[in-house]
Amino acid sequence: MCACAKGAAWEETLQFFTGMLQRQVLLGRSSFNAAIGAFEKAGEWEKALGLVAVMAQNRVNSDTITCTATICACTKGSEWEGSLQVFSEMIQSRIDIGTVTFSAAISACEKGSEWQKSLQLFSEMPLSKVESDAITYCAIISACEKGAEWEKALQLFNVALQSRGECGRIAYSAAISACEKGGEWQKAFQVLDAMLQSKVESDEIALNAAISACEKSAKWEKASLLFSVMEQSKVESSNITFSAVISAHEKGSEWKKALHILNMMARDTVESNLVSFNAALSACEKGGKWERALQLFSILLATNVECNAVTFGAAVAACGKCGEWENASHIFSVMAQSKVEYNTVNFNAVISACDTGGEWEQA
């Protein structure tokens, strides 16, 4: 059975283990560990926890291998509570806890968005005289990123760099994402720059996060620069990438560049989504290009993409700014037929369109 587990043949391991249980064969810890390891590989955290309970019933003591495999299974299932339960039992039973176990428990809390519990576990490592490794830092930085704790994420990232001299791609990406969530585009740039200068290859996640940071801060030139870096590095761009770049140009009132990026999506056979179209529509609205806005709006209606209040609002506003009250009214009526809930902004836009067009009676 152990040979099957080592060969990652978890299905055969479980089948063999089940047969032994049915025959009431007295099983030892190694057999249980092999079965729990198989459940961990299969992502069956509930069954892994169940086997730990069976071990206790049969008076078979758990060891580091047992508990670590169970915690890893819980991690894969984002079951942080089960992970911490096993971790606490290890402390009570005085079972040796190493780097791998700590990292798995921290990762479980990270996946469950429990960044404070991840930090608590991380702080216990020095007290337990357990060293952190690259996986530990990746997990704790990711936990802080998910908790929108960009300062803590960046602090831990710098500690990892100073203590280890290097960080993995996941740690870099998590640190950049944390800065992006905190609206710290300059710090996101600094981390990305460090990543590009190191031997760590940048990926879509890191670059997308940096572009989004620039987009949130209306730094369209920086976003455009990063987009060029992605193309030169041959990193594949997704609709998330394109949408962020278009949004950056929209915030910078660069409607021509926004439309150019939207056209590039079609060229690169990247599927456009509502976010990218809405951003391009808003860019045209800000640039006073109502005809372009209507053209995009017509394309959207012809696709399977479902429009929302932002879509209709941008199209109505584009027409409203130029006094195109008839087009604005038509879009508003289409909005009502589409059962999209309109708001004060939409009402004001169509009223403004009628007012600008001198059609006060329509307003």
Side-chain angles (χ1 to χ4, degrees), residues 5 12 52 59 73 77 96 189 195 200 204 242 245 247 256 261 286 304 310 314 342:
E12 289 84 349
V52 174
R59 296 182 180 180
D96 288 337
F189 240 78
M195 186 179 190
V200 179
E204 183 192 341
F242 281 101
V245 177
S247 293
K256 284 185 179 179
I261 300 298
K286 286 184 178 180
N304 293 324
V310 177
Y342 34 79

Side-chain angles (χ1 to χ4, degrees), residues 190-334:
Q190 289 171 5
V191 177
L192 180 63
D193 186 55
M195 186 179 190
L196 294 173
Q197 289 182 23
S198 70
K199 294 180 181 179
V200 179
E201 188 177 351
S202 57
D203 62 358
E204 183 192 341
I205 297 172
L207 288 164
N208 278 354
I211 289 171
S212 292
C214 295
E215 177 261 321
K216 285 183 177 179
S217 303
K219 299 293 177 182
W220 68 266
E221 300 100 327
K222 298 290 186 184
S224 187
L225 175 65
L226 288 174
F227 185 65
S228 298
V229 170
M230 286 189 78
E231 286 198 311
Q232 291 167 11
S233 305
K234 295 182 179 179
V235 177
E236 188 175 352
S237 301
S238 65
N239 53 18
I240 296 172
T241 316
F242 281 101
S243 296
V245 177
I246 293 169
S247 293
H249 286 115
E250 176 260 322
K251 285 183 171 64
S253 300
E254 293 287 332
W255 68 271
K256 284 185 179 179
K257 289 183 172 65
L259 289 180
H260 174 66
I261 300 298
L262 187 66
N263 290 331
M264 285 180 67
M265 291 184 77
R267 183 203 69 185
D268 295 347
T269 63
V270 177
E271 187 178 355
S272 304
N273 57 14
L274 189 60
V275 177
S276 55
F277 268 106
N278 282 353
L281 263 172
S282 295
C284 293
E285 178 257 315
K286 286 184 178 180
K289 301 296 175 182
W290 67 271
E291 289 173 314
R292 296 275 191 169
L294 277 185
Q295 186 181 11
L296 286 176
F297 183 71
S298 299
I299 292 170
L300 256 180
L301 290 179
T303 64
N304 293 324
V305 179
E306 190 173 343
C307 300
N308 60 14
V310 177
T311 318
F312 286 103
V316 170
C319 295
K321 281 186 177 180
C322 301
E324 291 291 324
W325 68 272
E326 288 180 315
N327 284 316
S329 298
H330 172 68
I331 294 167
F332 194 75
S333 64
V334 173

Side-chain angles (χ1 to χ4, degrees), residues 98-143:
T99 304
V100 175
T101 313
F102 265 106
S103 297
I106 290 169
S107 185
C109 294
E110 174 260 320
K111 284 182 168 57
S113 299
E114 294 289 333
W115 67 271
Q116 289 172 314
K117 288 183 171 60
S118 289
L119 278 177
Q120 185 181 343
L121 285 169
F122 184 74
S123 65
E124 289 174 8
M125 292 184 75
L127 300 175
S128 303
K129 296 180 181 180
V130 178
E131 291 186 1
S132 306
D133 62 6
I135 296 172
T136 315
Y137 277 107
C138 283
I140 191 63
I141 293 169
S142 294

